[in-house]
Amino acid sequence: MIEVTNENFEQLLPSIEETIRMASFVAIDMELSGLNASPALKPTLFDSIEERYRKQRETVNRFVCCQFGLTCFKRDPFVNKYTAKSFGFYLCPRSLGESRSKRFAFDASAVEFLSDYGLDFSKVLNAGIPYLNEEEEYSLKQDLANDCLIELSKQTTAEFEYISSKITKWIASFENDKKQEWSESFYVDYVPSVNDFSNYLLIKELRRNFKNIWIKTTDDKGTHQVVASRVSKEEYTRIALEAFKDEEFAIKRSVGFSQVVRCLIETRKPIVGFNMMLDILYLYNDFYRKLPRKLNTFKKEFVELFPETYDSKAIFNNSKKYYPEMTDLFNARSLEELYQILRSKEFLSRFLYQPVIESESTKGKEPETLPHDAGFDSYASGYVFIRLAHMLAMKDKGITKEAPTWTDHLRAVNEFKNQINLIRATVHFLDLEKDDRNSIRPQWLVVENRDKSEPLSISKVRLEANF
Amino acid sequence: MIEVTNENFEQLLPSIEETIRMASFVAIDMELSGLNASPALKPTLFDSIEERYRKQRETVNRFVCCQFGLTCFKRDPFVNKYTAKSFGFYLCPRSLGESRSKRFAFDASAVEFLSDYGLDFSKVLNAGIPYLNEEEEYSLKQDLANDCLIELSKQTTAEFEYISSKITKWIASFENDKKQEWSESFYVDYVPSVNDFSNYLLIKELRRNFKNIWIKTTDDKGTHQVVASRVSKEEYTRIALEAFKDEEFAIKRSVGFSQVVRCLIETRKPIVGFNMMLDILYLYNDFYRKLPRKLNTFKKEFVELFPETYDSKAIFNNSKKYYPEMTDLFNARSLEELYQILRSKEFLSRFLYQPVIESESTKGKEPETLPHDAGFDSYASGYVFIRLAHMLAMKDKGITKEAPTWTDHLRAVNEFKNQINLIRATVHFLDLEKDDRNSIRPQWLVVENRDKSEPLSISKVRLEANF
């Protein structure tokens, strides 16, 4: 798995986009900073789809995606083989000047959960990749175009004052000493912020402050410097065009990870996940546009962006009917369990023409099982998707002479396209393309202890079922 | 500076408490995950003290203290010298079972600020020390005493199921093989959670699950194991007393860092800070009790806990009148600037009998200047406190024959005791012991540009002054 932080994102982006373009489908997974904004917003067995959407919209508004896993699967056209390339992106919202700063929440139990499964939070908060959705990007561009006041952060203000005083002294010495050449430049060491946009604002503010001095930054082997160069008025006007490019680049860096999601939208690749209701809400809200109030609006717009979404969990739940005898398989309770069963010799040998699934990121070796690492989980979701699709493709075939193609696999799961699994609700999945069935609350709910020797406590039932 | 995370906290606690007990005074500083819960809650020039308290109470309810700096200063009774020992504690709220989990917020700009000044967030979120205030501790104890349902977290449930199945198999093999001894024990490797309380709940649940099997954990050179031992009924009853001790220990670990604050309260040491309004609110709310609704209640109760609090910023602001000629000193705008001026040869040579201030944590060497590291900032706050106290002690003395003692220094700042600096408000400080002056809003506020050649924009003024 390739780990991507803000330090290598810019450099890797072109090859990531290329990998997406070449993919047959893209599997995703997210690790979130929390799930339930408050106990009242916990999913219950009696949630209608609209209620669930309303609750999860609150989750999306409060918590953030800390780690975004993306695995591109490519079917080899000549061999019965899928190649997988996995990326784990660490994300963190960054401010756009002191007053445009997002607040986001962590749930202590989510922090422990992710810590226990090995997430390093310095990669998230110290080195995360920023992102903006379209609305945020638009509003930033408007503010920049209208030259609205964007205040420097406290630490950038300190850098600004330090560098300004150095440059001012340099100019004074220069004016006193007529012998120096006009072209001479002056270098000041500086410590860039983890927020690239703050670094841009610093340069912009320095340029505003010193007329006829051109300000740039250089980065030579990790030594960051501000370069001030004395230029003529004519030259200044010419060079000043650079400022537009710098601004465009600063905006691009702030849009950050959303560029990857935009590439998914542009290429209209099938998206695969596992139990991905929250994932698709985050995909829309954080990287495209604020979630609409109405579920139906969301569904319509989401399908326009991502015409083919497959939730491996929904496929799994609904394939049971075709293979009722495979009790071991259908007892799997988590992505990890399912993944382990589907890669067992026992399962693989049940169906002919099992495609090879090769992890390119680990040079062909099986990737290390790292449950709840978004990169690994996206790989496992895609792996599960292929194995289930193959199982379904083989269901009517019996003994054939040729291995199913990618088209065959896709056709086999077509009935599950755009069906998103729902946990604990009145219906089992959300269909992005059809009107949802009326959700009918059961008239009676029969509750009994698994251990029938113990008496049933109504308070325990209430706590467990959360109603 | 000694860095303290959950990994070494338990081991260091006795020596930390001992250091506090020996101290003449204790300087503190906190780094917070955010300052303003919303733009409407930003401090303004027109806040009355009550309004400020109401706003900052919101801050305290939403954000958390990520790093708590504590420096114990001890005056040598025989030499004109203070010895300083600094600790930097990394803190993180932990859940008490799945449903008792705190949500806490980060402000993106605070995350960047702390990142830019070198805070490693893995020390906070992956390895932070937990804490509970008295109310939270009481409620936890009640729940445990009443055997209220405390659910295991998802990852602890997975561990529980894994270990249970292993032990069940062992018992079965044991029952089949009569030759084995009764005393035999069985070991299962396990991965402890970062949350010690979850680890306790795991053992408690295993004990509940296996009657007449005693369950313990061992930790041998980083290899964590659960040990199941078959014991007789009589022995079980005897050993079961251990369970009480385990529970007490688990509660103690959850109270965590609050033990340090309790030691400060018990020893009634003078507390020193710099611009410490938010710090004293956090001190009370997170480690003692939820902040009361009324400011006056808070003031009364805080002084009962901490009878002597000195805000070096308030001392600094109010000493100007005694030394109006020291413009360089009184132009300092931050703790760091003030610290640098007060340790300059120029300042030190102005007053006789300057005490030596020696940092024990850095073996007598001057500690590295690390602004906005809570450990360093607590050292700098205490350093500034001593230098200002000495300056004030010398003010009436002229040439004396003896260096001022700790009592002299304390007497010199007595007029500033329990005066807490307020930024941007109608009055300049909060007096914890006296009724606050009526805050009078000025009838007119005259605003002009520093650069008088530029026109004044009312929208910019509004944004800057935040009214």
Side-chain angles (χ1 to χ4, degrees):
Chain A
M1 208 197 55
I2 299 159
E3 294 211 323
V4 193
T5 65
N6 199 40
E7 277 142 38
N8 58 359
F9 176 68
E10 202 57 36
Q11 184 203 333
L12 289 176
L13 183 60
S15 75
I16 294 164
E17 288 175 332
E18 186 56 23
T19 311
I20 292 173
R21 280 194 196 95
M22 304 294 287
S24 308
F25 71 92
V26 176
I28 63 165
D29 184 70
M30 299 188 199
E31 298 306 327
L32 307 174
S33 70
L35 291 177
N36 310 308
S38 75
L41 292 170
K42 240 180 136 170
T44 82
L45 281 170
F46 306 112
D47 286 344
S48 69
I49 296 189
E50 284 76 15
E51 277 167 335
R52 179 62 55 83
Y53 178 73
R54 185 185 57 77
K55 285 181 178 179
Q56 296 198 324
R57 220 169 131 245
E58 285 298 308
T59 295
V60 173
N61 285 334
R62 285 202 56 184
F63 299 111
V64 289
C65 170
C66 296
Q67 203 196 13
F68 191 114
L70 187 143
T71 302
C72 298
F73 286 85
K74 192 178 130 195
R75 169 69 183 231
D76 190 310
F78 307 111
V79 192
N80 186 14
K81 180 170 129 183
Y82 289 85
T83 314
K85 199 163 178 182
S86 298
F87 302 90
F89 299 90
Y90 296 90
L91 307 185
C92 186
R94 294 288 180 218
S95 72
L96 302 166
E98 186 65 7
S99 66
R100 284 171 190 76
S101 175
K102 212 181 245 176
R103 280 104 181 150
F104 53 95
F106 277 89
D107 184 328
S109 64
V111 171
E112 289 153 32
F113 180 81
L114 295 173
S115 289
D116 286 345
Y117 284 108
L119 182 73
D120 177 347
F121 277 101
S122 68
K123 290 181 185 157
V124 178
L125 292 169
N126 296 102
I129 309 162
Y131 53 87
L132 295 180
N133 68 22
E134 283 189 1
E135 290 148 345
E136 291 160 334
E137 183 191 359
Y138 176 77
S139 139
L140 173 65
K141 281 181 174 167
Q142 288 285 307
D143 287 352
L144 288 168
N146 299 333
D147 209 18
C148 269
L149 189 73
I150 300 187
E151 321 93 289
L152 301 184
S153 67
K154 282 194 276 304
Q155 65 273 36
T156 309
T157 305
E159 282 291 335
F160 171 77
E161 288 175 359
Y162 169 76
I163 297 167
S164 289
S165 73
K166 291 273 184 188
I167 295 178
T168 305
K169 274 183 202 152
W170 169 67
I171 294 174
S173 77
F174 190 90
E175 280 166 353
N176 294 339
D177 182 357
K178 295 287 177 198
K179 274 178 289 182
Q180 289 190 54
E181 292 293 319
W182 272 85
S183 62
E184 206 203 336
S185 293
F186 178 70
Y187 292 80
V188 191
D189 284 356
Y190 92 113
V191 184
S193 168
V194 297
N195 181 337
D196 295 311
F197 192 74
S198 294
N199 297 327
Y200 166 68
L201 289 180
L202 169 67
I203 297 308
K204 190 178 178 182
E205 209 51 37
L206 286 169
R207 284 175 183 166
R208 206 198 296 265
N209 211 39
F210 295 100
K211 317 285 178 196
N212 293 327
I213 299 284
W214 188 245
I215 311 277
K216 286 199 305 185
T217 52
T218 62
D219 168 14
D220 184 21
K221 291 166 198 147
T223 304
H224 299 271
Q225 293 189 305
V226 167
V227 193
S229 312
R230 189 122 187 192
V231 292
S232 68
K233 253 190 189 165
E234 296 69 36
E235 212 178 342
Y236 188 92
T237 320
R238 198 178 55 75
I239 299 176
L241 289 169
E242 262 187 45
F244 288 98
K245 282 192 189 155
D246 290 347
E247 188 151 296
E248 268 174 18
F249 185 67
I251 294 168
K252 189 168 175 274
R253 293 228 52 169
S254 296
V255 171
F257 180 73
S258 304
Q259 294 172 87
V260 173
V261 176
R262 286 179 192 176
C263 181
L264 293 177
I265 294 172
E266 276 162 31
T267 55
R268 301 175 73 80
K269 294 291 172 185
I271 304 293
V272 168
F274 188 85
N275 203 9
M276 62 196 297
M277 181 64 191
L278 266 171
D279 302 56
I280 66 171
L281 299 184
Y282 272 96
L283 206 55
Y284 187 101
N285 188 78
D286 283 16
F287 312 114
Y288 177 63
R289 284 182 199 173
K290 208 169 159 52
L291 282 173
R293 203 164 282 276
K294 296 218 163 169
L295 172 62
N296 278 335
T297 318
F298 164 72
K299 283 166 55 172
K300 209 172 136 264
E301 294 190 357
F302 188 85
V303 174
E304 274 169 28
L305 300 172
F306 300 98
E308 283 183 70
T309 303
Y310 299 92
D311 187 336
S312 305
K313 182 75 184 286
I315 300 177
F316 170 69
N317 285 343
N318 295 308
S319 320
K320 206 171 177 171
K321 56 181 180 245
Y322 299 121
Y323 294 96
E325 75 284 6
M326 292 174 73
T327 46
D328 263 16
L329 172 63
F330 291 105
N331 279 337
R333 291 173 311 166
S334 65
L335 172 60
E336 197 203 338
E337 274 182 38
L338 184 54
Y339 169 72
Q340 297 299 358
I341 293 172
L342 293 179
R343 62 198 274 264
S344 66
K345 276 194 188 140
E346 206 186 327
F347 175 83
L348 292 175
S349 60
R350 279 189 72 120
F351 298 95
L352 284 174
Y353 303 120
Q354 284 288 5
V356 171
I357 303 176
E358 198 175 274
S359 164
E360 202 183 298
S361 337
T362 48
K363 300 189 177 70
K365 275 191 290 185
E366 292 247 306
E368 192 190 348
T369 299
L370 292 170
H372 305 295
D373 171 278
F376 171 78
D377 274 5
S378 68
Y379 171 79
S381 303
Y383 184 99
V384 162
F385 173 76
I386 295 170
R387 292 280 174 244
L388 293 176
H390 185 72
M391 177 179 89
L392 295 168
M394 296 301 285
K395 113 175 108 69
D396 311 312
K397 285 215 167 179
I399 295 163
T400 62
K401 281 195 181 147
E402 278 188 27
T405 62
W406 165 233
T407 316
D408 293 331
H409 282 152
L410 213 47
R411 195 181 300 122
V413 292
N414 188 54
E415 60 170 313
F416 309 115
K417 191 172 79 179
N418 294 329
Q419 289 183 0
I420 309 298
N421 187 61
L422 292 180
I423 51 159
R424 285 191 167 188
T426 48
V427 291
H428 296 308
F429 60 85
L430 169 78
D431 194 314
L432 291 169
E433 288 180 291
K434 299 199 190 89
D435 278 346
D436 293 308
R437 309 159 188 207
N438 286 331
S439 54
I440 300 149
R441 298 187 179 216
Q443 199 183 0
W444 298 102
L445 189 73
V446 182
V447 180
E448 52 182 36
N449 254 343
R450 282 188 201 177
D451 174 359
K452 290 185 186 154
S453 68
E454 270 189 40
L456 192 68
S457 140
I458 189 68
S459 65
K460 284 191 187 182
V461 172
R462 194 167 280 154
L463 203 60
E464 287 269 341
N466 195 34
F467 53 78
Chain B
M1 208 197 55
I2 298 159
E3 294 211 323
V4 193
T5 65
N6 199 39
E7 276 142 39
N8 58 359
F9 177 68
E10 202 56 37
Q11 184 203 333
L12 290 176
L13 183 60
S15 75
I16 294 165
E17 288 175 331
E18 186 56 22
T19 311
I20 292 173
R21 280 195 196 94
M22 304 295 286
S24 307
F25 72 92
V26 176
I28 63 165
D29 183 69
M30 299 188 200
E31 298 305 326
L32 307 174
S33 70
L35 291 177
N36 310 308
S38 75
L41 292 169
K42 240 181 135 168
T44 82
L45 281 170
F46 307 112
D47 286 344
S48 69
I49 296 189
E50 285 76 15
E51 277 167 335
R52 179 62 55 84
Y53 178 72
R54 186 186 56 78
K55 285 181 178 179
Q56 296 198 324
R57 220 169 132 245
E58 286 299 309
T59 296
V60 173
N61 285 335
R62 285 202 55 185
F63 299 111
V64 290
C65 171
C66 296
Q67 203 197 14
F68 191 114
L70 187 143
T71 302
C72 298
F73 286 86
K74 192 178 129 195
R75 169 70 184 230
D76 191 311
F78 307 111
V79 192
N80 186 14
K81 179 169 131 183
Y82 289 85
T83 314
K85 199 163 178 182
S86 299
F87 301 91
F89 299 90
Y90 296 89
L91 307 185
C92 186
R94 294 288 180 217
S95 72
L96 302 166
E98 186 65 6
S99 66
R100 284 172 189 75
S101 175
K102 211 182 247 177
R103 280 105 182 149
F104 52 96
F106 277 88
D107 184 328
S109 64
V111 171
E112 289 153 32
F113 180 81
L114 295 173
S115 289
D116 286 344
Y117 284 109
L119 181 73
D120 176 348
F121 277 102
S122 68
K123 290 180 185 156
V124 178
L125 292 168
N126 296 102
I129 309 162
Y131 53 88
L132 295 179
N133 68 21
E134 282 188 1
E135 290 148 345
E136 291 160 334
E137 182 191 359
Y138 177 77
S139 139
L140 173 65
K141 282 181 174 166
Q142 288 285 306
D143 287 351
L144 287 168
N146 299 333
D147 209 17
C148 268
L149 190 72
I150 299 187
E151 322 94 288
L152 301 184
S153 66
K154 282 194 276 304
Q155 65 273 35
T156 309
T157 305
E159 282 292 335
F160 172 77
E161 288 176 359
Y162 170 76
I163 298 167
S164 289
S165 73
K166 291 273 185 187
I167 295 178
T168 305
K169 274 184 203 152
W170 169 68
I171 294 173
S173 77
F174 190 90
E175 280 166 353
N176 294 339
D177 182 357
K178 295 288 178 197
K179 274 178 290 182
Q180 290 190 52
E181 292 293 318
W182 272 84
S183 62
E184 206 204 335
S185 293
F186 177 70
Y187 292 80
V188 191
D189 285 356
Y190 92 113
V191 184
S193 169
V194 297
N195 182 337
D196 295 312
F197 192 74
S198 294
N199 297 327
Y200 166 69
L201 289 181
L202 169 67
I203 298 307
K204 190 178 178 182
E205 209 51 37
L206 286 169
R207 284 176 182 165
R208 205 197 296 264
N209 211 40
F210 295 101
K211 317 286 179 196
N212 293 327
I213 299 284
W214 188 244
I215 311 276
K216 285 198 306 186
T217 52
T218 62
D219 168 13
D220 184 21
K221 292 166 200 147
T223 304
H224 299 272
Q225 293 189 304
V226 167
V227 193
S229 312
R230 188 123 188 191
V231 292
S232 68
K233 253 190 188 163
E234 296 69 38
E235 213 179 342
Y236 188 91
T237 320
R238 198 178 56 75
I239 300 176
L241 289 169
E242 263 187 46
F244 288 99
K245 283 192 188 156
D246 290 346
E247 187 151 296
E248 269 174 18
F249 185 67
I251 294 168
K252 189 168 175 274
R253 294 229 51 169
S254 295
V255 171
F257 180 73
S258 305
Q259 294 172 87
V260 173
V261 176
R262 286 179 192 176
C263 181
L264 293 177
I265 293 172
E266 276 162 31
T267 54
R268 301 175 73 80
K269 294 291 172 186
I271 304 294
V272 168
F274 188 86
N275 203 9
M276 63 196 298
M277 181 64 190
L278 266 172
D279 303 55
I280 67 171
L281 299 184
Y282 272 96
L283 206 55
Y284 187 102
N285 188 79
D286 282 16
F287 312 114
Y288 177 62
R289 284 182 198 173
K290 208 170 160 51
L291 282 173
R293 202 164 284 276
K294 296 217 164 172
L295 172 62
N296 278 335
T297 317
F298 164 73
K299 283 166 55 172
K300 208 171 137 265
E301 294 190 358
F302 188 85
V303 174
E304 274 170 28
L305 300 172
F306 301 98
E308 284 183 68
T309 303
Y310 299 92
D311 186 336
S312 305
K313 181 75 184 285
I315 299 176
F316 170 70
N317 285 343
N318 294 308
S319 320
K320 206 171 178 171
K321 56 181 181 244
Y322 300 121
Y323 294 96
E325 74 285 5
M326 293 175 72
T327 46
D328 263 16
L329 172 63
F330 290 105
N331 278 337
R333 291 173 312 166
S334 66
L335 172 60
E336 197 204 338
E337 274 183 37
L338 184 54
Y339 169 71
Q340 297 299 359
I341 292 172
L342 292 179
R343 62 199 274 263
S344 67
K345 275 194 188 140
E346 205 186 328
F347 175 83
L348 292 175
S349 60
R350 278 189 73 119
F351 298 96
L352 283 174
Y353 303 120
Q354 284 288 7
V356 171
I357 302 176
E358 198 174 275
S359 164
E360 202 182 297
S361 336
T362 48
K363 299 189 177 70
K365 275 191 290 187
E366 292 247 306
E368 192 191 348
T369 300
L370 292 170
H372 305 295
D373 171 278
F376 172 78
D377 274 5
S378 68
Y379 171 80
S381 303
Y383 184 99
V384 162
F385 173 75
I386 295 171
R387 292 281 174 243
L388 293 176
H390 185 72
M391 177 179 89
L392 294 168
M394 296 302 285
K395 116 175 104 69
D396 311 313
K397 285 216 166 177
I399 295 163
T400 62
K401 282 196 179 144
E402 278 188 26
T405 62
W406 165 233
T407 316
D408 293 331
H409 282 152
L410 214 47
R411 195 180 300 122
V413 292
N414 188 54
E415 60 170 313
F416 309 115
K417 192 172 79 181
N418 294 330
Q419 289 183 359
I420 309 299
N421 187 61
L422 292 180
I423 50 159
R424 285 191 166 188
T426 48
V427 291
H428 296 308
F429 60 84
L430 169 78
D431 194 315
L432 291 169
E433 288 180 291
K434 300 200 190 90
D435 278 346
D436 293 307
R437 310 159 188 207
N438 286 332
S439 54
I440 300 149
R441 296 186 181 217
Q443 199 183 359
W444 298 102
L445 189 72
V446 182
V447 180
E448 52 183 35
N449 254 343
R450 282 189 202 176
D451 174 358
K452 290 186 186 155
S453 67
E454 271 189 38
L456 193 68
S457 139
I458 189 67
S459 66
K460 283 190 187 183
V461 172
R462 194 168 279 155
L463 202 61
E464 287 270 342
N466 195 34
F467 53 78

